Amino acid sequence: MSADKKDYERICMEYGITNFRGMLKKLKKMKQEQGDDITEDSEMVTYSKEECNEIQHSLKQVGKKHDAELYSMDVDGATVDLKAPDVDFAIKIQEVMAEERQDAVFTCVLTGPLDEIKWFCKNMQLSNGEKFEITVSEDKLIHKLMVRDCLPLDAGIYVAVAGIRSCNAWLVVEAPDVDFAIKIQEVTAEERQDAVFTCVLTGPLDEIKWFCKNMQLSNGEKFEITVSEDKLIHKLMVRDCLPLDAGIYAAVAGIRSCNAWLVVEADKEGSSKGNKAARKNTMVVGGDDEDLLRIAKEQQERYQKEMEEKLAQSERDAAEEAARLEAQAAKKRSDEAKAASKAAARAKKAEAGVEEPSIKAAGSGSDVTVEPHLVEQSEDNEVGENSLFMESVEVDEVTGGDGAPVQDIVKGNDHGEGTAKPKSEKSGKKEKLPKVIVSQITDGEDAAVGNDHGEETAEQNSEKSVTNCPKEKIVDGKDAVVDPGVHFHIGLSDCKAIIGEDAELVCKLSSEDCEGIWYKDGEEIKSTEAMTIIKEGSYHKLKLHKVPEEFAGKYKFEADGRKTEALVVVEDPPRFNREDLKTFINPVTVKKGHKATFRLAYMGQEPIKVQWFLEGEELSDAANIKLETSDGCTRLLLMKLQRKDSGEVKLKLKNEFATAEALTELIVLDKPTPPMGPVEIVEASSSAIEIKWRPPKDSGGCNIGNYILERQQVGRNTWKKVGPIGPLAKYRDLDVDHGRRYCYRIRVETEIGTSELMETEDIQAGTKAYPGPPSTPKVVSAFKDCINLSWTPGNSGGTKILGYNLEKRKKGSNLWGQVNPPDEMIRAKGFAVKDVVEGMQYEFRVSAINNSGPGEFSTPSEFVFARDPKKPPGKVINLKVTDSSYTTLCLSWTKPKDIEKVQDEAKGYFVEIRPAENTEWNRCNSNLVTTNFYTVKNMKSLGMYWVRVIAINDGGEGEPQELDNYVLAMPPPVRPRFTDTKIKSFMVVRAGNSARLTMNFEASPWPEVTWLKDDVPVTKKVTISNAEGTSQLLIPSSERSDSGVYTVVVKNIVGQETFSIEIRVTDEPKPPGPVEIEENVPGTVTISWTPSPDEKRDDRLHYMVMKRDSTKGTWLTVADHIFNNKFTACNIMPGCEYQFRVYAKNDMGSSKPSESPKWLLSNKKEKFTVNIPESKTWDLQCPPKFLVPLKMHTAPQGYECYMSCALKGDPTPHVTWLRNNISLNTNTNYYISNTCGVCSLLILRVGPKDTGEYKVVAENPRGRAECSTKLTVRE
């Protein structure tokens, strides 16, 4: 019972068991009995509803750990044994590296066929869809997973699972290696204008990232990001530029980036008027659109060419890989076929020694003999899960004792039809089948035995049929002759036919002798002139000639009861006549100003959309373009053509079936452009002048015939025609005089015309051109008896450099001495100087020599000691960070120790940094640092860096000294703090106006800024702009609902700080209602009024009452800040007429008044007596006296300072201001005033010279008084 199913047949052969069905039934019953005993010890393996859409069942593990592959499943009370397929990976999936937006393919090869394997990524099973495509080869050995349109999110580990085997591999998605063909440029825009940054990439990219002030930008009301159709041109538009928008903007494409400034100029006109500048409809663009389009087109062509090369290479690689895999699979199949043949041979030998017993059927005296086929095996020699061991039993009729038929045994199998073909069919050989005698057949028992010889394979489209299988009766116990029947090797496939062209349907039968019948839509068809039926061996073909629309339909081929079907769809796509197309694709060449005509006939089902393109741009009717389309023909006429109109002309036709295109080229001939400079002087000797230049940028579409030269001797007015010199862009003039200067004019001549001229500079014949100075000599090595030098040549002076002269000078001397002998120049670019004295310092210089002679000397080298090399220095000591910011890092260290014969003194230092994500060190200073401190600049904000310092001397570099930990590019941690000293906590805004709050702060690291309104985050209506050290809140058009307490929260890792500002949005209030007057107490009146309509909406609204009487006639305020609707006025005089006004007031101002009716109280006149007291004379004169003295003052530099004091005196005293005992009354830099005894001094801009003691002296005839103070100026 523990044997594998594939060994069942071998075991039956060994023990002489011939009743396969009986053996299988008994084995099944024994397993059921054993399953009941082990169910209690079984471990449940759960199935979820998502994993199985069939009926609910349980899966129980049978046996122990060593039998982990065998399971039993209970379905409706029946037990079925399942076994995981025993396959492994012959070739596992490998790591795949793909660029972004490319497709990636994982491929694996199994050791045995399997319908499907499972693919996983990130703990999720993958299935066919838009993102993934899973394919299996016909032999079910090669399995592939395609990941379409790879993105960085798709990177990760992918797993392939086949049964209990699995393998995995990485998918690495690399960012596209693109660069900037044109970087963004600085843009200067006026306030309220739109600004546009533009860049061009070297390869297409769906999007790039834009940054400003360390924040990534996205599409919205402020910014608009656009990409061209070819994904090469990327633009960023900054709408409605304000001064706050100025700064550095950066574009990032993959690992490349570029940046530029946006400069916003204030609107002088608007600011001078004190109003907000008006929105402008103009925009400022950085870069020329025509140049951008031209460069983008060049980049696109270059990119397409590279992609085509890569695609061709990938196709070649894929073909090689497929061939390799196919070879491996073929070899594996061959090995398995050999193994199967050996197994069959062993089985035949075993059969030869087995006795064939004869058993009579119950109820009859006759034996029934059948011939079973061998077990059908898959390509890996394994038996399927539900396969039986008798492939087929074919008996025409079995009779009982009365001669009546007991049961028909038909050809079939136990697990359905249509399985793979047996291996004997694939190899083309017929296997010899053993005879087996059926022991017993009872009435009512199903004796039909299945077979695996289905008539169609997985890829065939034929119908399943087992009805017309040939049969033979068994007579007198003789052996039956088995005929396997006819089946399809290749079925019909659906076909799309083009109207008017030929089409063909083909199928292949297993027999060449079988005939068949063709049907169309259920009706039999015969060969006619329009269709031909052909039989070529086992192939049956139906050829359709010049297919008309009526040929569309369902076609069927039937042979010996088997049939296969296919659909023929007749389409009429747009297409061209071959001869007309050959004529059309020939380039059309015309001259400038002429016209060109393109005409091409076409055919296809209407409606057909006709489009003409020139260089990818669709054409439409215009002044110089005419498009004509008639029935089956289209025509394009281009008039007044210019050279720039040259390019590719494309005709595109499209209907419901397909799209057709035809390409040709338009060449417009014109005069060439002038030759391109600058002119290179090859030789300028006393006997000849030789020059060369570059051909014209555009030859006008023609080959260059000649260059026409003219020559002028400088100082003369005439030009001498040298004549055509041929198509080569060079000329050697031998007719020159030594010392004369000449100028040349050059034109290009083609068959169309002559170009404009290019004029050269003056060229002198016979001038000596000395070489330029070489580079500064470099000391390669130094010893006590030799110093090795090297250098690089400079400008050759137009001729070949013959050699060099080398000179040396001792330190402290003014004399240079030549190193090499005067008559022996140095040929090489280096020299070993041996004429040196040990311990002395030398410097060197070198000059080049050509045919004209020696040139200028180079700059001297550094002084070098003539001594043996030094030992490299040791590590620096006490390396530490002294200060840091977001972009800089300050370091300090102590020089390394000087140990004799171990390490010498350091001459200087190099500082190197390495970002944490990189492995390479970058040197910060190109020249040696001689001090013990250094500041690293241009660091990335909040970047993580490793830092080290290397000491160096003439002996080489010492060992680097690194910091113990990495360093963050950020200033020392600072708790957020608001820097504005005078911040208002209350703001009133008129409804409809904008409200703007700007908060300046300092914090490190960069904090998170949050704005709240009434402890709730602000709405999207409010615009928040954050920059370095500042945050701004903007309400574009305020409403009363925007009133509230706004809080800004600045938070970082050190702490947080908050500040709240109350914003009140209001408007001038509406006036109160009617005013009434009532007298309750004599001498007083009560004024009452109806509340203003705005009282409920504004809690700060109050009222003011004014009074006017008939005696004075002026309005006086009698009450203010009244928060109710009544007021009692006192001192109301009888006989006087009164009138009152009531105003509603809030933070924005006052409303219009509401007036009361006039109020008059009758007056009873009485006699009025006045007693005037006697007047007395008083002497009010007194000496000066200070009532309020001067105060001490401390003023910031550049600000104003105001000093004041108060005094009295009679007569009015004379006041004198003094600074450091020097009178200031006549100094125009000070503003002095004396009003009603209040003396003041104003300094408009305080400077250091204003520091000192200030004194006020007051004098009158009665006396003198002084008062002094000190002024301190703070920087």
Side-chain angles (χ1 to χ4, degrees):
M1 290 181 60
S2 62
D4 201 337
K5 287 186 177 182
K6 64 183 180 181
D7 298 326
Y8 283 4
E9 183 182 7
R10 179 181 56 79
I11 296 172
C12 292
M13 292 291 185
E14 290 178 3
Y15 293 92
I17 300 174
T18 57
N19 187 3
F20 292 106
R21 287 185 75 83
M23 184 271 294
L24 290 176
K25 288 181 178 179
K26 192 167 184 179
L27 184 63
K28 183 176 180 182
K29 184 177 180 181
M30 293 173 64
K31 286 187 177 181
Q32 287 178 349
E33 294 174 356
Q34 182 181 7
D36 296 335
D37 296 335
I38 66 174
T39 300
E40 297 177 356
D41 299 329
S42 299
E43 179 184 353
M44 296 298 297
V45 181
T46 59
Y47 267 60
S48 65
K49 292 182 180 179
E50 294 142 1
E51 294 177 307
C52 185
N53 296 325
E54 300 174 358
I55 59 175
Q56 292 184 352
H57 59 275
S58 62
L59 187 65
K60 301 179 182 179
Q61 182 178 354
V62 179
K64 303 301 179 182
K65 183 176 181 181
H66 63 273
D67 198 17
E69 297 181 7
L70 188 62
Y71 292 84
S72 66
M73 180 175 68
D74 295 333
V75 182
D76 294 336
T79 302
V80 180
D81 292 335
L82 302 178
K83 183 177 183 300
D86 186 15
V87 296
D88 201 350
F89 290 91
I91 298 178
K92 297 182 179 181
I93 59 176
Q94 303 296 325
E95 177 177 318
V96 177
M97 298 184 68
E99 290 186 0
E100 193 172 353
R101 315 302 297 190
Q102 277 188 341
D103 295 342
V105 179
F106 290 96
T107 304
C108 63
V109 180
L110 304 180
T111 58
L114 202 60
D115 288 344
E116 66 176 2
I117 65 174
K118 295 181 180 180
W119 296 88
F120 295 86
C121 179
K122 300 176 182 177
N123 296 327
M124 294 179 61
Q125 185 173 352
L126 310 181
S127 59
N128 274 312
E130 295 181 358
K131 189 64 181 178
F132 302 99
E133 179 183 351
I134 300 173
T135 57
V136 185
S137 63
E138 292 181 359
D139 56 8
K140 301 180 181 177
L141 291 175
I142 303 174
H143 295 252
K144 295 184 179 181
L145 168 68
M146 177 185 289
V147 185
R148 298 190 181 95
D149 194 17
C150 290
L151 297 174
L153 191 65
D154 300 325
I157 298 177
Y158 286 72
V159 182
V161 179
I164 61 172
R165 311 290 183 179
S166 67
C167 59
N168 59 69
W170 272 91
L171 170 60
V172 180
V173 181
E174 298 178 337
D177 187 13
V178 297
D179 202 349
F180 290 88
I182 296 182
K183 299 182 178 180
I184 57 177
Q185 305 294 327
E186 177 177 320
V187 177
T188 302
E190 292 184 4
E191 190 175 357
R192 306 309 301 277
Q193 268 189 333
D194 295 343
V196 178
F197 290 96
T198 306
C199 63
V200 179
L201 304 181
T202 58
L205 203 62
D206 287 345
E207 63 177 2
I208 65 175
K209 296 180 180 179
W210 295 88
F211 293 86
C212 178
K213 301 174 182 177
N214 295 328
M215 294 179 61
Q216 185 174 350
L217 309 181
S218 59
N219 273 313
E221 297 181 358
K222 189 64 181 178
F223 304 99
E224 179 183 352
I225 300 173
T226 57
V227 184
S228 61
E229 291 183 358
D230 56 9
K231 301 179 182 178
L232 292 175
I233 303 177
H234 295 252
K235 296 183 179 181
L236 168 67
M237 177 187 291
V238 185
R239 296 191 181 96
D240 191 15
C241 290
L242 298 174
L244 188 66
D245 300 326
I248 297 177
Y249 287 72
V252 179
I255 60 173
R256 312 286 184 178
S257 65
C258 59
N259 57 68
W261 272 91
L262 170 60
V263 180
V264 180
E265 296 180 348
D267 189 353
K268 299 178 182 179
E269 185 175 336
S271 59
S272 62
K273 296 178 181 178
N275 299 325
K276 184 178 179 181
R279 181 81 164 87
K280 299 180 180 178
N281 295 325
T282 58
M283 69 173 62
V284 180
V285 182
D288 188 359
D289 283 343
E290 294 183 0
D291 291 340
L292 295 176
L293 292 173
R294 176 179 57 79
I295 294 175
K297 183 178 178 182
E298 294 174 358
Q299 294 298 332
Q300 185 179 19
E301 293 174 352
R302 184 183 307 165
Y303 180 80
Q304 289 178 351
K305 185 176 179 181
E306 293 176 356
M307 287 298 103
E308 289 172 358
E309 294 175 355
K310 290 182 179 179
L311 181 60
Q313 182 63 33
S314 64
E315 289 176 352
R316 290 194 294 270
D317 295 343
E320 293 174 0
E321 181 68 11
R324 185 178 66 81
L325 295 175
E326 185 62 30
Q328 291 181 352
K331 183 179 179 182
K332 182 174 180 60
R333 288 195 295 270
S334 176
D335 295 341
E336 292 173 348
K338 291 179 182 178
S341 64
K342 291 180 181 179
R346 287 195 298 269
K348 291 178 182 179
K349 291 180 181 179
E351 293 171 12
V354 176
E355 184 179 356
E356 298 178 7
S358 176
I359 302 176
K360 295 183 179 181
S364 83
S366 61
D367 295 337
V368 180
T369 304
V370 296
E371 286 187 333
H373 290 277
L374 292 176
V375 178
E376 179 191 56
Q377 297 181 351
S378 61
E379 289 183 0
D380 59 351
N381 250 356
E382 293 184 5
V383 182
E385 291 180 358
N386 299 324
S387 61
L388 296 178
F389 298 95
M390 292 185 296
E391 181 178 348
S392 66
V393 177
E394 192 165 326
V395 178
D396 182 59
E397 187 176 282
V398 179
T399 60
D402 54 358
V406 176
Q407 182 78 28
D408 283 338
I409 304 176
V410 297
K411 192 174 184 179
N413 72 0
D414 286 350
H415 54 279
E417 304 167 352
T419 59
K421 292 181 288 186
K423 183 171 283 189
S424 59
E425 285 189 21
K426 293 184 181 179
S427 61
K429 300 179 181 179
K430 296 183 178 179
E431 295 182 354
K432 185 177 180 180
L433 306 176
K435 297 181 180 180
V436 179
I437 300 176
V438 178
S439 61
Q440 183 178 0
I441 300 177
T442 59
D443 294 341
E445 181 179 356
D446 184 7
V449 181
N451 116 46
D452 290 338
H453 284 213
E455 284 74 27
E456 72 240 23
T457 60
E459 66 273 7
Q460 293 171 349
N461 194 23
S462 59
E463 294 186 356
K464 301 179 178 125
S465 175
V466 294
T467 57
N468 296 323
C469 298
K471 307 171 185 175
E472 288 191 12
K473 295 183 179 180
I474 301 175
V475 181
D476 297 331
K478 294 182 179 179
D479 296 342
V481 179
V482 179
D483 183 4
V486 178
H487 55 273
F488 286 98
H489 282 178
I490 301 175
L492 296 178
S493 299
D494 292 345
C495 173
K496 288 186 179 180
I498 298 177
I499 193 168
E501 296 185 6
D502 295 346
E504 186 179 61
L505 296 173
V506 181
C507 63
K508 182 181 178 182
L509 292 174
S510 60
S511 174
E512 297 183 0
D513 301 330
C514 186
E515 299 292 336
I517 302 174
W518 289 90
Y519 297 91
K520 178 184 180 295
D521 297 332
E523 297 182 0
E524 183 179 351
I525 55 177
K526 301 290 185 179
S527 291
T528 62
E529 294 182 356
M531 59 180 66
T532 305
I533 298 175
I534 302 173
K535 179 180 181 298
E536 297 177 353
S538 60
Y539 287 91
H540 294 259
K541 302 180 181 179
L542 175 63
K543 288 191 175 182
L544 307 178
H545 306 291
K546 296 182 180 179
V547 177
E549 190 174 355
E550 296 78 16
F551 276 18
K554 186 175 184 180
Y555 288 78
K556 179 174 69 175
F557 180 75
E558 185 172 348
D560 199 13
R562 273 66 168 179
K563 52 188 174 182
T564 177
E565 296 180 349
L567 288 176
V568 174
V569 180
V570 179
E571 297 181 348
D572 192 7
R575 55 200 183 278
F576 306 104
N577 181 275
R578 294 182 181 272
E579 299 299 327
D580 293 345
L581 187 58
K582 288 182 180 179
T583 305
F584 178 80
I585 63 177
N586 294 327
V588 177
T589 304
V590 297
K591 293 184 179 181
K592 175 186 175 183
H594 290 202
K595 62 183 179 180
T597 304
F598 300 88
R599 183 180 182 278
L600 187 59
Y602 60 86
M603 61 193 76
Q605 181 174 325
E606 299 288 347
I608 297 178
K609 183 179 180 182
V610 181
Q611 295 174 287
W612 288 89
F613 297 86
L614 177 59
E615 281 298 295
E617 183 178 354
E618 186 174 359
L619 302 177
S620 58
D621 283 322
N624 57 341
I625 301 174
K626 288 188 178 180
L627 301 176
E628 298 178 0
T629 302
S630 58
D631 188 14
C633 181
T634 180
R635 177 173 176 265
L636 169 65
L637 176 61
L638 302 175
M639 298 175 290
K640 297 180 181 180
L641 291 170
Q642 302 296 321
R643 173 65 180 158
K644 64 181 181 179
D645 296 327
S646 300
E648 181 186 73
V649 177
K650 179 171 70 175
L651 170 60
K652 182 177 180 181
L653 306 177
K654 183 177 181 181
N655 67 0
E656 60 178 313
F657 298 112
T659 300
E661 294 182 353
L663 302 176
T664 186
E665 188 176 358
L666 172 63
I667 302 174
V668 182
L669 304 180
D670 195 2
K671 294 192 302 182
T673 58
M676 297 177 63
V679 173
E680 180 183 350
I681 302 173
V682 179
E683 181 184 353
S685 63
S686 59
S687 60
I689 294 177
E690 184 176 354
I691 58 175
K692 65 179 181 180
W693 56 91
R694 292 188 294 166
K697 187 176 182 180
D698 183 10
S699 64
C702 304
N703 294 327
I704 297 175
N706 285 295
Y707 286 99
I708 301 175
L709 265 70
E710 293 179 311
R711 189 187 75 177
Q712 181 193 49
Q713 182 178 321
V714 177
R716 297 184 180 180
N717 296 327
T718 59
W719 288 85
K720 177 184 177 182
K721 188 172 183 181
V722 178
I725 63 170
L728 297 179
K730 64 179 181 179
Y731 178 67
R732 182 178 178 85
D733 191 359
L734 300 175
D735 185 17
V736 296
D737 296 331
H738 179 66
R740 300 283 186 182
R741 303 176 69 85
Y742 298 91
C743 181
Y744 296 87
R745 289 177 178 174
I746 308 173
R747 294 182 175 89
V748 184
E749 182 182 44
T750 64
E751 61 182 61
I752 300 299
T754 305
S755 70
E756 300 294 329
L757 61 87
M758 178 189 70
E759 189 170 331
T760 68
E761 297 179 353
D762 296 346
I763 305 173
Q764 186 172 354
T767 302
K768 290 186 177 182
Y770 295 99
S775 65
T776 302
K778 180 181 179 182
V779 178
V780 178
S781 61
F783 302 92
K784 64 181 179 180
D785 56 355
C786 179
I787 298 176
N788 294 311
L789 304 172
S790 67
W791 57 85
T792 56
N795 183 16
S796 64
T799 58
K800 182 179 178 181
I801 293 178
L802 304 177
Y804 301 92
N805 285 332
L806 180 63
E807 292 185 349
K808 68 176 182 179
R809 183 173 66 176
K810 294 181 181 179
K811 188 173 184 180
S813 173
N814 294 327
L815 299 178
W816 287 91
Q818 189 164 334
V819 175
N820 58 299
D823 54 345
E824 295 182 10
M825 67 180 70
I826 300 171
R827 302 289 181 178
K829 300 172 185 175
F831 192 74
V833 182
K834 298 183 179 180
D835 185 17
V836 294
V837 178
E838 183 180 359
M840 298 295 293
Q841 281 185 285
Y842 295 91
E843 61 178 340
F844 301 90
R845 66 181 184 181
V846 65
S847 67
I849 305 171
N850 65 2
N851 291 328
S852 300
E856 296 180 7
F857 279 96
S858 66
T859 55
S861 68
E862 296 180 354
F863 283 99
V864 57
F865 279 98
R867 61 187 180 188
D868 289 337
K870 286 187 172 184
K871 297 289 184 180
K875 292 184 178 181
V876 299
I877 304 171
N878 195 22
L879 176 62
K880 60 184 178 180
V881 178
T882 58
D883 194 9
S884 63
S885 68
Y886 286 113
T887 57
T888 62
L889 184 68
C890 297
L891 303 172
S892 68
W893 59 87
T894 304
K895 65 180 182 179
K897 294 181 180 180
D898 186 4
I899 304 175
E900 187 176 357
K901 295 184 180 180
V902 177
Q903 57 189 38
D904 289 332
E905 183 181 1
K907 185 179 180 180
Y909 307 92
F910 283 115
V911 179
E912 295 182 344
I913 63 172
R914 176 175 67 85
E917 64 271 14
N918 294 344
T919 58
E920 296 181 359
W921 290 90
N922 300 319
R923 187 157 286 183
C924 302
N925 53 311
S926 56
N927 298 322
L928 283 177
V929 176
T930 57
T931 58
N932 293 349
F933 54 87
Y934 184 76
T935 300
V936 183
K937 300 180 180 179
N938 300 323
M939 301 180 75
K940 185 179 179 181
S941 177
L942 297 178
M944 188 185 299
Y945 294 90
W946 292 96
V947 183
R948 70 182 184 183
V949 176
I950 303 173
I952 190 172
N953 61 11
D954 294 334
E957 295 183 359
E959 294 185 13
Q961 176 63 55
E962 295 186 27
L963 289 174
D964 295 335
N965 295 313
Y966 61 82
V967 178
L968 288 176
M970 57 174 285
V974 176
R975 179 184 174 87
R977 183 179 67 86
F978 294 102
T979 56
D980 293 334
T981 56
K982 298 180 180 179
I983 308 177
K984 297 180 180 179
S985 60
F986 181 78
M987 177 185 291
V988 180
V989 180
R990 185 186 297 272
N993 290 356
S994 62
R996 190 189 303 266
L997 296 176
T998 302
M999 302 298 297
N1000 298 318
F1001 56 85
E1002 61 179 18
S1004 177
W1006 179 254
E1008 178 184 355
V1009 182
T1010 307
W1011 284 88
L1012 306 173
K1013 179 196 172 188
D1014 297 332
D1015 298 329
V1016 177
V1018 296
T1019 61
K1020 293 183 179 180
K1021 174 185 176 182
V1022 180
T1023 302
I1024 306 298
S1025 301
N1026 296 324
E1028 185 173 357
T1030 183
S1031 180
Q1032 184 185 83
L1033 177 141
L1034 175 64
I1035 304 175
S1037 180
S1038 58
E1039 301 175 355
R1040 289 182 182 268
S1041 60
D1042 294 325
S1043 298
V1045 177
Y1046 288 80
T1047 304
V1048 57
V1049 181
V1050 183
K1051 180 180 180 181
N1052 64 4
I1053 59 175
V1054 183
Q1056 74 175 29
E1057 188 71 17
T1058 61
F1059 188 82
S1060 299
I1061 302 175
E1062 182 181 359
I1063 297 179
R1064 182 172 299 278
V1065 181
T1066 183
D1067 207 344
E1068 292 182 356
K1070 296 180 181 178
V1075 181
E1076 298 179 356
I1077 300 176
E1078 181 181 0
E1079 182 182 19
N1080 295 325
V1081 178
T1084 62
V1085 294
T1086 300
I1087 302 101
S1088 60
W1089 57 89
T1090 304
S1092 169
D1094 294 331
E1095 184 175 316
K1096 294 182 179 180
R1097 296 190 298 174
D1098 193 345
D1099 58 349
R1100 294 175 62 90
L1101 185 139
H1102 57 276
Y1103 299 95
M1104 180 180 70
V1105 179
M1106 300 187 72
K1107 178 185 72 174
R1108 183 179 66 177
D1109 54 37
S1110 57
T1111 56
K1112 295 183 179 179
T1114 57
W1115 289 96
L1116 300 175
T1117 301
V1118 294
D1120 200 353
H1121 293 88
I1122 302 173
F1123 288 90
N1124 55 19
N1125 306 118
K1126 289 183 179 181
F1127 175 72
T1128 301
C1130 302
N1131 300 324
I1132 301 300
M1133 303 298 296
C1136 188
E1137 186 179 64
Y1138 294 91
Q1139 191 174 9
F1140 297 89
R1141 284 181 177 175
V1142 180
Y1143 295 84
K1145 297 178 66 178
N1146 62 7
D1147 296 316
M1148 292 304 301
S1150 304
S1151 68
K1152 294 181 180 180
S1154 294
E1155 294 189 358
S1156 68
K1158 294 181 180 180
W1159 175 269
L1160 178 63
L1161 186 63
S1162 58
N1163 185 16
K1164 297 180 180 179
K1165 293 184 180 181
E1166 296 180 357
K1167 186 176 181 181
F1168 179 70
T1169 304
V1170 178
N1171 297 321
I1172 301 175
E1174 296 181 0
S1175 60
K1176 297 181 180 180
T1177 303
W1178 294 90
D1179 185 7
L1180 299 177
Q1181 290 186 351
C1182 65
K1185 180 182 179 181
F1186 284 92
L1187 302 177
V1188 179
L1190 292 172
K1191 296 181 180 179
M1192 298 290 289
H1193 289 273
T1194 300
Q1197 183 176 344
Y1199 285 72
E1200 65 179 20
C1201 180
Y1202 182 80
M1203 303 181 187
S1204 63
C1205 61
L1207 57 84
K1208 70 175 183 176
D1210 190 18
T1212 301
H1214 175 71
V1215 177
T1216 304
W1217 284 84
L1218 300 99
R1219 179 175 64 84
N1220 297 334
N1221 296 323
I1222 299 175
S1223 176
L1224 301 177
N1225 283 25
T1226 58
N1227 194 330
T1228 57
N1229 294 326
Y1230 301 90
Y1231 180 72
I1232 299 173
S1233 64
N1234 186 359
T1235 305
C1236 299
V1238 178
C1239 302
S1240 61
L1241 170 68
L1242 175 64
I1243 307 173
L1244 295 178
R1245 292 178 63 85
V1246 175
K1249 60 183 179 59
D1250 297 316
T1251 302
E1253 182 183 18
Y1254 286 79
K1255 184 186 296 184
V1256 180
V1257 178
E1259 298 176 307
N1260 68 359
R1262 288 298 185 97
R1264 185 174 184 272
E1266 294 182 359
C1267 182
S1268 62
T1269 186
K1270 286 187 178 181
L1271 170 62
T1272 303
V1273 178
R1274 186 176 70 250
E1275 294 184 357

